[in-house]
Amino acid sequence: MIGEFASIDRLLGRLGAPGALAGVALGAGDDCAVLARAEWPVVCLDTLVEGVHWTPKLSAIDDVGYKLLACNLSDVAAMAAVPGPFLLALALPSPFDERFLDALSAGLVAARRDHGLDPEVVTAIGGDTTRANGAAVLSLVLFGRPLRSDRLLRRSGAIPGDGLWVSGPLGESAAALHLGQAGGAEEWAEPLLERHRRPRARLDLVPLLAATEGVHAAIDLSDGLAGDLAHLAQASGVSAELEAAALPMSPACRRAAALLGADPLSLALGGGEDFELLVAADQSAEADLAAAGFSRVGTLGSGPPGSLALCDASGRRGPLTVRGYEHG
Amino acid sequence: MIGEFASIDRLLGRLGAPGALAGVALGAGDDCAVLARAEWPVVCLDTLVEGVHWTPKLSAIDDVGYKLLACNLSDVAAMAAVPGPFLLALALPSPFDERFLDALSAGLVAARRDHGLDPEVVTAIGGDTTRANGAAVLSLVLFGRPLRSDRLLRRSGAIPGDGLWVSGPLGESAAALHLGQAGGAEEWAEPLLERHRRPRARLDLVPLLAATEGVHAAIDLSDGLAGDLAHLAQASGVSAELEAAALPMSPACRRAAALLGADPLSLALGGGEDFELLVAADQSAEADLAAAGFSRVGTLGSGPPGSLALCDASGRRGPLTVRGYEHG
């Protein structure tokens, strides 16, 4: 067991850049971290709670560290931005437990490596560790900057007529969570579980999003397609219609749904933490999006802002009632 | 009870500026908040945990909101900086409890008002609310900027020979906590309790710190004088000696110590959350510091870096063994 000050130093020592860093005038070790001018205008903040966002049964602490960075990277990717330095706020039942801190920082380091990020750039510049009174609560503040300084991709830029595209298969993290809770996941389910434990943010798509003017809006899929689409449609003042048959799902996810007696469509629409991207784009972007692996899943319209509809596999159209997955 | 998305919107709606804000290109309502270039280079992060940093017996939720902003304002003040926009990360047992959210935002608003801050500037630009699995955990990320762009007051600028000064009475918050836990605090103790519940950050001293070149280093007193002095001395590579008789304590605090059978010196050295400022300054700053209500409490030397000594009331000198108050 180590002291409070040693505890955050230990973490920052593993995650912080050793020397001076472009864009950061002052890192860990003072009351505040100081950003140099004009470098990291984007900032986001995500929190993971033990027993809410992860269960020790399915995720080791290094997995949790991985996910803590990945979920913030996903927010930055959805702005067509690239990540920079970060701060940590950790409330821990045993804040001075080196093994926990080492595992957590190992997971953060692994996420940084797996996303191909420079440790001198995506580096801890500060943070706060304190004792939790109950389950662990982990927050990370991540800075970033638009890859193209004149192009920031918001939720609110979509227009009626835009196509809706998702960057990869849906429902896998939720399927893994349900499988894991049911116990006895088999080898075929391992890729799903891995995706739940160590989600990959779609930073690889940032250059495409930054370069493709026909992409008008984006949001990352953290709460589930239905919920995140509602956010995008509301912010843009448009209606939306999804095609059930077009929602990308993997064979493993369908198999998990069958095993669990779950409706695959519910997993795809309501399952959170896929960390794929949902974008709204006009026709000029279609070829580029398709070539990058996006699937077209629907269309935006000029109906009541934020209203969602679903066309089922037989072509019947009805209001979309499945809500996004809300933690809590 | 309200939904997750409504919950953070509710909070941000009360705390966020209604219109466009200089320095913030994009506030709440998207994946990230975006800072405009060159406006808010300072950032800090503090967390309060129920049962660790506050007890419901002594502090109402609005008091906790007050303290959440004040403890971050104190960090910014210690850099000779002024506060700007902020983000919130809240893990709450009942995240959708409007009364809790309303009380919390009322406390934040009260702190902003009591510190004379402009709600269009010190404004929530984002955040995250989630369900806690246990006690509430509240984090706030605060941005700021140096009042003088060429002068950032760090912990590490102190030199041997500098005087040590504190901006106000010590030990009051800790005395109040002990009194409150013992139960039955009387009217004379009310100012102590109020200081514990609603600490005032010393933003009023920022113009002095920014203008006075003879002030070389500063830190805010959040962990207790002994602990925070150790941080400053270590960061500056100097030793320090405190004069016990010079430590400012109020009559009410001494009375509380007597009632509790506590050593007043222990409260002054080890009691956390005074949120006064500790500065190191040369002779040229003495008159200005004294005029602003600072008390000189010791001197820095060229002994082993970080080593602390105490001169007691009878003039005996010994190593300072009282550790700063460490939560947890």
Side-chain angles (χ1 to χ4, degrees):
Chain A
M1 304 293 265
I2 52 180
E4 178 181 345
F5 310 118
S7 141
I8 192 74
D9 280 353
R10 186 184 184 93
L11 209 58
L12 297 174
R14 307 225 167 182
L15 298 167
L21 167 72
V24 181
L26 177 60
D30 219 307
D31 294 290
C32 297
V34 180
L35 303 180
R37 294 180 176 273
E39 283 287 335
W40 301 109
V42 170
V43 54
C44 63
L45 173 55
D46 252 332
T47 298
L48 300 181
V49 180
E50 182 181 351
V52 177
H53 299 89
W54 86 87
T55 158
K57 190 175 169 186
L58 272 186
S59 299
I61 297 305
D62 54 344
D63 296 328
V64 177
Y66 195 104
K67 190 168 171 176
L68 181 62
L69 184 56
C71 65
N72 279 284
L73 294 174
S74 183
D75 280 328
V76 166
M79 311 292 289
V82 294
F86 61 90
L87 297 95
L88 291 165
L90 310 177
L92 306 173
S94 303
F96 314 141
D97 175 347
E98 302 96 320
R99 279 185 309 174
F100 183 99
L101 294 169
D102 289 355
L104 191 74
S105 62
L108 286 160
V109 165
R112 186 164 63 186
R113 185 194 59 223
D114 288 356
H115 288 84
L117 300 170
D118 183 347
E120 299 275 318
V121 175
V122 180
T123 184
I125 56 165
D128 183 40
T129 304
T130 190
R131 183 162 64 82
N133 184 7
V137 179
L138 316 177
S139 294
L140 191 147
V141 180
L142 179 64
F143 292 89
R145 66 169 162 231
L147 186 61
R148 265 177 59 188
S149 62
D150 60 337
R151 179 165 161 84
L152 197 65
L153 206 52
R154 300 178 53 169
R155 296 178 180 176
S156 56
I159 55 176
D162 277 351
L164 282 168
W165 301 75
V166 296
S167 59
L170 303 172
E172 306 212 332
S173 181
L177 184 63
H178 294 312
L179 270 185
Q181 283 167 341
E186 294 164 51
E187 200 180 333
W188 62 266
E190 198 45 49
L192 301 183
L193 290 166
E194 191 59 16
R195 184 130 188 236
H196 172 78
R197 291 186 192 114
R198 298 196 162 215
R200 200 66 67 89
R202 299 307 306 269
L203 287 172
D204 58 308
L205 298 172
V206 169
L208 173 70
L209 300 181
T212 311
E213 299 284 350
V215 175
H216 296 156
I219 187 170
D220 83 312
L221 294 175
S222 52
D223 295 314
L225 178 59
D228 291 316
L229 175 56
H231 292 155
L232 185 144
Q234 275 160 6
S236 296
V238 298
S239 60
E241 182 170 325
L242 291 174
E243 301 285 337
L247 300 180
M249 297 190 74
S250 69
C253 190
R254 292 185 187 279
R255 183 169 172 182
L259 195 70
L260 293 160
D263 177 8
L265 191 58
S266 290
L267 283 177
L269 291 169
E273 305 195 340
D274 284 321
F275 298 117
E276 295 291 345
L277 299 178
L278 169 67
V279 309
D282 66 24
Q283 219 171 355
S284 71
E286 284 189 7
D288 289 335
L289 289 171
F294 278 84
S295 304
R296 179 162 179 166
V297 297
T299 307
L300 296 177
S302 49
S307 67
L308 308 184
L310 182 72
C311 251
D312 70 16
S314 58
R316 272 190 302 258
R317 187 178 182 283
L320 177 53
T321 51
V322 180
R323 296 189 67 201
Y325 176 63
E326 296 200 2
H327 293 295
Chain B
M1 304 293 264
I2 52 180
E4 178 181 343
F5 309 117
S7 141
I8 192 73
D9 279 354
R10 186 183 183 93
L11 210 56
L12 297 174
R14 307 224 166 183
L15 297 167
L21 167 73
V24 180
L26 178 59
D30 220 307
D31 293 292
C32 296
V34 179
L35 304 179
R37 295 182 174 272
E39 284 287 336
W40 301 110
V42 169
V43 54
C44 63
L45 172 56
D46 253 331
T47 298
L48 300 181
V49 180
E50 182 181 351
V52 177
H53 299 89
W54 85 87
T55 157
K57 190 175 167 186
L58 273 186
S59 300
I61 297 307
D62 55 344
D63 296 328
V64 177
Y66 195 104
K67 190 168 170 176
L68 182 63
L69 184 55
C71 65
N72 280 285
L73 294 174
S74 183
D75 280 329
V76 166
M79 311 293 287
V82 293
F86 62 90
L87 297 94
L88 292 165
L90 310 177
L92 305 173
S94 302
F96 314 140
D97 177 348
E98 301 97 319
R99 278 183 311 172
F100 184 99
L101 295 168
D102 289 355
L104 191 74
S105 61
L108 287 159
V109 166
R112 185 164 63 186
R113 185 195 58 221
D114 288 356
H115 288 84
L117 300 170
D118 183 348
E120 299 274 317
V121 175
V122 181
T123 183
I125 58 167
D128 182 40
T129 304
T130 189
R131 183 162 64 82
N133 184 8
V137 179
L138 315 177
S139 294
L140 190 146
V141 180
L142 179 65
F143 291 90
R145 66 170 161 231
L147 186 61
R148 266 177 59 188
S149 63
D150 60 337
R151 179 165 161 83
L152 197 65
L153 205 53
R154 300 178 53 170
R155 296 177 181 179
S156 56
I159 56 176
D162 278 351
L164 282 168
W165 301 75
V166 296
S167 60
L170 302 172
E172 306 211 332
S173 181
L177 185 62
H178 294 311
L179 272 186
Q181 283 167 340
E186 294 164 52
E187 200 181 333
W188 62 267
E190 197 46 48
L192 301 183
L193 290 166
E194 192 58 17
R195 183 130 188 236
H196 173 79
R197 291 187 192 112
R198 298 196 162 213
R200 199 68 66 88
R202 300 306 307 268
L203 288 172
D204 57 309
L205 297 172
V206 169
L208 173 70
L209 300 180
T212 310
E213 299 284 350
V215 174
H216 297 155
I219 188 170
D220 83 311
L221 294 175
S222 52
D223 295 316
L225 177 59
D228 291 316
L229 175 57
H231 292 153
L232 184 144
Q234 276 159 5
S236 296
V238 298
S239 61
E241 182 171 324
L242 290 175
E243 301 285 336
L247 300 180
M249 296 191 75
S250 70
C253 190
R254 291 186 187 278
R255 182 169 172 181
L259 194 71
L260 292 160
D263 177 8
L265 191 59
S266 290
L267 283 177
L269 290 169
E273 304 195 339
D274 285 320
F275 298 117
E276 295 292 344
L277 299 178
L278 169 68
V279 310
D282 65 24
Q283 219 171 354
S284 72
E286 285 188 6
D288 289 335
L289 289 171
F294 278 85
S295 303
R296 179 161 178 167
V297 297
T299 307
L300 296 176
S302 49
S307 67
L308 308 185
L310 182 71
C311 252
D312 70 16
S314 58
R316 272 189 303 259
R317 188 177 181 284
L320 177 53
T321 51
V322 180
R323 295 189 67 202
Y325 177 61
E326 294 200 2
H327 294 293

